[in-house]
Amino acid sequence: MVFDRHLAITSPLQYLVIMAQWCKKLAVLPWIVGLVGAFISTIFTASLKFCGPNVIEHFFCDLAPLQNLACSDPHVSNLITSITAIFVVLLPFITIMGFYSHIIITILKIKSIEGKHKAFSTCSSHLLVSSLYFCTGITVYVMPSDSQHDRFLAFIYTIVTPFLNPFIYTFRNRDVKCAFLKVLNSLNSLILNKVQLNSKAQFVGAKKWF
């Protein structure tokens, strides 16, 4: 996403040509990195011996809480998980921030205020979601503490961020905004009609009573 925005703002004339070459590669690369990172952490976690308590103090089976249940020393497994997180979480975040730094520098060179606003609006939503997701992920996996604080951060990147994604990205689309406003207007009209019908029914009932 950040590469797409970077290319659209810094090299708009070459956008279609470059994206045609890189689109599939950029889609496949995160899957490969994520799967390799998860595989390495899973192998080292599976090599631990579990013979004691089997209740994880977490709302899902995360790596650090699971590793800390082991009877054998989880130090190596924790270290491998943190190193893997550096490549899977920290380096992509640094790359994203680097692209956005260049984007901001390019936008500041735009003389038109309207052009600056339009350019910033295309990037702000992705920057917000990326910062929220990666910062919490870095804290949990690169510097794990297995505390209530980690569980709260895990709640943010597993539930809050995916929940916000559709709203942040779709409400920038004019067609979605128009459709949403139409639905709200329809609901408003329906509620007003029901209120008016109830008022008429109460009035007729009161009139019959008198």
Side-chain angles (χ1 to χ4, degrees):
M1 182 71 181
V2 67
F3 182 78
D4 176 82
R5 295 297 87 204
H6 179 269
L7 194 61
I9 292 172
T10 58
S11 304
L13 298 178
Q14 297 176 321
Y15 175 81
L16 293 176
V17 177
I18 297 175
M19 282 305 296
Q21 298 173 350
W22 284 90
C23 187
K24 292 181 180 179
K25 297 175 184 177
L26 291 172
V28 172
L29 182 61
W31 282 90
I32 294 174
V33 174
L35 288 172
V36 170
F39 180 75
I40 293 171
S41 299
T42 302
I43 291 296
F44 277 89
T45 304
S47 65
L48 297 173
K49 294 181 180 179
F50 296 90
C51 56
N54 58 359
V55 178
I56 298 174
E57 294 185 6
H58 211 289
F59 62 89
F60 73 101
C61 189
D62 206 2
L63 286 170
L66 179 61
Q67 291 166 356
N68 291 332
L69 289 178
C71 298
S72 55
D73 186 8
H75 178 71
V76 175
S77 183
N78 288 339
L79 181 62
I80 293 298
T81 301
S82 296
I83 293 172
T84 304
I86 290 173
F87 289 98
V88 176
V89 183
L90 183 59
L91 289 182
F93 180 66
I94 293 172
T95 304
I96 289 172
M97 291 300 105
F99 273 115
Y100 273 120
S101 298
H102 190 230
I103 287 172
I104 291 171
I105 292 170
T106 305
I107 291 174
L108 291 175
K109 293 179 181 178
I110 300 174
K111 296 181 180 180
S112 168
I113 297 176
E114 184 180 351
K116 287 182 179 179
H117 177 74
K118 185 177 180 181
F120 270 120
S121 66
T122 60
C123 302
S124 57
S125 57
H126 182 247
L127 181 60
L128 175 65
V129 174
S130 297
S131 300
L132 185 64
Y133 179 82
F134 281 102
C135 288
T136 52
I138 289 167
T139 306
V140 171
Y141 291 106
V142 178
M143 300 175 291
S145 61
D146 193 26
S147 63
Q148 188 70 30
H149 181 63
D150 275 6
R151 288 191 282 276
F152 172 72
L153 293 176
F155 173 79
I156 291 176
Y157 75 78
T158 56
I159 297 175
V160 175
T161 305
F163 176 77
L164 291 176
N165 268 337
F167 297 99
I168 291 174
Y169 288 121
T170 56
F171 282 119
R172 288 178 54 250
N173 187 294
R174 291 182 180 178
D175 294 334
V176 174
K177 286 181 182 178
C178 291
F180 182 71
L181 290 174
K182 285 181 181 179
V183 171
L184 287 180
N185 290 332
S186 300
L187 290 173
N188 189 35
S189 299
L190 184 64
I191 292 170
L192 287 175
N193 289 334
K194 285 188 176 181
V195 170
Q196 289 175 356
L197 288 173
N198 289 334
S199 300
K200 287 180 180 179
Q202 290 175 0
F203 177 76
V204 171
K207 199 172 182 180
K208 287 182 179 179
W209 178 262
F210 288 108

